[in-house]
Amino acid sequence: MILLDNVSKYYPGYKTPALDEINLHIQPKEFVFLVGESGAGKSTLIKMLTREEKPSYGDIIVGGIDYKCLKKKHIPYLRRRIGVVFQDFKLLPNRTVYENVAFALEIVGVSGEEIKRTVPKVLELVGLSEKAHEFPGKLSGGERQRVAIARSMARQPKILIADEPTGNLDPENSDGIIRLLEEINNFGTTILVTTHDVEVVNRHKKRVVTLNHGKIIGDQKQGGYYDLDGSRTRITKRSLGGQPQAVRPAPAQAQPAPVVPKAPVAPPVPAPEPTPTVAPRAPMKPAASTRTTKSSGSAVLEQMRRAKASDAAKPKTVAKRRSLYPNAK
């Protein structure tokens, strides 16, 4: 929806640029806070988007329109697509609330019938239906800012730029204005808000782009905080053909807790292997001694055998002898 590619702006008589190589891409339906100190370049950037100023270098594309190809006669048509809310309201003091809103439609040629249908709806959106016939001088600061928002929204722009919309308001009205812008954003309108209000930025946690001396030094894509020195994000330098990227710094690491040495763990002792159970052997009877004296019966038999053998041998001798000596007795 909004693209600034390497945009720089030099004013005559100044050596330092008001904007220095700005690279910014805002998506459709996005809500962005643009923060920075006075003189950081916020107003110059807004004037670039509304074509009040031309860049010295770089390209700007808004809503698909390349500003390099934009002719002077087409600038009014461009501004009808961009609503702008100013810090000082810029209301017509001699016209009522209704007439201030209707005037923004009359100058672009909207018919009377269309104005009658549109203005009441817009006043209802900003909560000023009951103040339609009041003059700006009788309204509070917050109410006048709501009229300014209603006037800028009457043409149903795709982009709404609010330049310090809460600068002159108390905290309660400031928060109410930002909630109204959030509601408009929910309808699909891209919102770009420049502000110095720390509480508003920190409370609503939108995308936060930080400008410092004409450079973007911080871009918190989500849940951003008011950050003037870019300490929450760093912008890396763009490489050839690429877009700059915001890099969040590494969070501070907590000091590691002291390591308590663990007690040495003894190596596990293997369980003893179970001893196999062996059935006890039956007691062995002592072997009989080889020298044991044989039983008396056996000895007798042995003696008888010996004797018989001896006797068997004797008769043969005798018989032989008898045959030799037949007469011998």
Side-chain angles (χ1 to χ4, degrees):
M1 180 60 73
I2 298 176
L3 175 64
L4 288 85
D5 183 24
N6 206 32
V7 172
S8 297
K9 175 63 178 179
Y10 288 83
Y11 286 106
Y14 293 88
K15 294 183 179 180
T16 57
L19 294 178
D20 188 8
E21 297 184 351
I22 296 295
N23 292 282
L24 178 64
H25 186 200
I26 298 176
Q27 299 283 357
K29 304 179 182 181
E30 200 169 5
F31 192 118
V32 180
F33 284 117
L34 181 64
V35 302
E37 296 178 346
S38 297
K42 301 188 301 297
S43 297
T44 301
L45 192 149
I46 297 300
K47 290 178 180 179
M48 294 286 181
L49 297 179
T50 58
R51 196 55 166 177
E52 295 177 56
E53 297 282 356
K54 291 183 179 181
S56 302
Y57 306 102
D59 299 319
I60 300 176
I61 300 175
V62 176
I65 300 174
D66 188 343
Y67 281 18
K68 280 188 174 180
C69 303
L70 186 65
K71 296 181 180 180
K72 190 174 182 179
K73 64 180 181 180
H74 295 149
I75 293 177
Y77 298 98
L78 168 71
R79 291 174 180 167
R80 293 175 192 176
R81 303 179 63 175
I82 302 175
V84 181
V85 180
F86 299 98
Q87 180 179 357
D88 55 357
F89 316 131
K90 296 190 183 299
L91 301 178
L92 301 173
N94 58 344
R95 291 177 181 257
T96 64
V97 169
Y98 183 98
E99 292 169 341
N100 267 277
V101 177
F103 182 73
L105 298 173
E106 291 171 2
I107 62 176
V108 296
V110 177
S111 66
E113 290 297 324
E114 183 67 22
I115 290 174
K116 289 180 182 179
R117 288 194 298 267
T118 302
V119 174
K121 293 179 181 178
V122 176
L123 292 179
E124 182 181 0
L125 174 64
V126 299
L128 292 176
S129 297
E130 297 180 356
K131 304 283 186 177
H133 302 293
E134 297 286 348
F135 288 92
K138 294 184 178 181
L139 304 177
S140 67
E143 289 172 336
R144 280 181 282 177
Q145 190 61 281
R146 288 173 180 270
V147 176
I149 294 173
R151 184 182 58 190
S152 65
M153 288 300 299
R155 293 171 291 180
Q156 301 178 6
K158 295 295 184 181
I159 301 171
L160 180 61
I161 299 173
D163 189 11
E164 294 286 351
T166 62
N168 297 324
L169 304 179
D170 58 78
E172 183 177 353
N173 281 313
S174 296
D175 198 56
I177 291 298
I178 298 301
R179 287 200 303 269
L180 174 59
L181 293 175
E182 285 181 325
E183 186 176 350
I184 294 171
N185 177 244
N186 291 335
F187 286 116
T189 303
T190 304
I191 305 291
L192 176 61
V193 179
T194 67
T195 184
H196 287 100
D197 196 326
V198 178
E199 294 299 325
V200 164
V201 174
N202 293 347
R203 186 181 305 118
H204 291 274
K205 292 182 172 57
K206 303 293 185 179
R207 180 181 175 186
V208 179
V209 177
T210 304
L211 272 175
N212 188 12
H213 298 295
K215 291 180 176 289
I216 293 180
I217 62 169
D219 190 350
Q220 302 169 68
K221 298 295 184 182
Q222 293 180 346
Y225 289 86
Y226 195 84
D227 178 30
L228 291 183
D229 59 2
S231 59
R232 291 183 179 272
T233 55
R234 301 190 312 276
I235 300 299
T236 60
K237 203 163 185 179
R238 190 182 68 161
S239 59
L240 293 176
Q243 293 293 333
Q245 297 182 358
V247 181
R248 290 184 182 272
Q253 297 183 355
Q255 292 294 330
V259 179
V260 179
K262 295 183 179 179
V265 180
V269 179
E273 295 183 3
T275 304
T277 304
V278 180
R281 295 181 180 180
M284 298 179 63
K285 295 182 179 180
S289 173
T290 54
R291 296 182 181 180
T292 304
T293 306
K294 292 182 179 181
S295 63
S296 58
S298 298
V300 173
L301 289 175
E302 183 65 21
Q303 292 176 359
M304 290 176 66
R305 287 192 193 100
R306 290 179 179 177
K308 186 176 181 180
S310 176
D311 291 341
K314 288 180 179 181
K316 290 180 182 182
T317 307
V318 173
K320 187 177 180 178
R321 288 178 178 174
R322 284 180 181 175
S323 62
L324 294 175
Y325 305 100
N327 299 318
K329 291 184 180 178

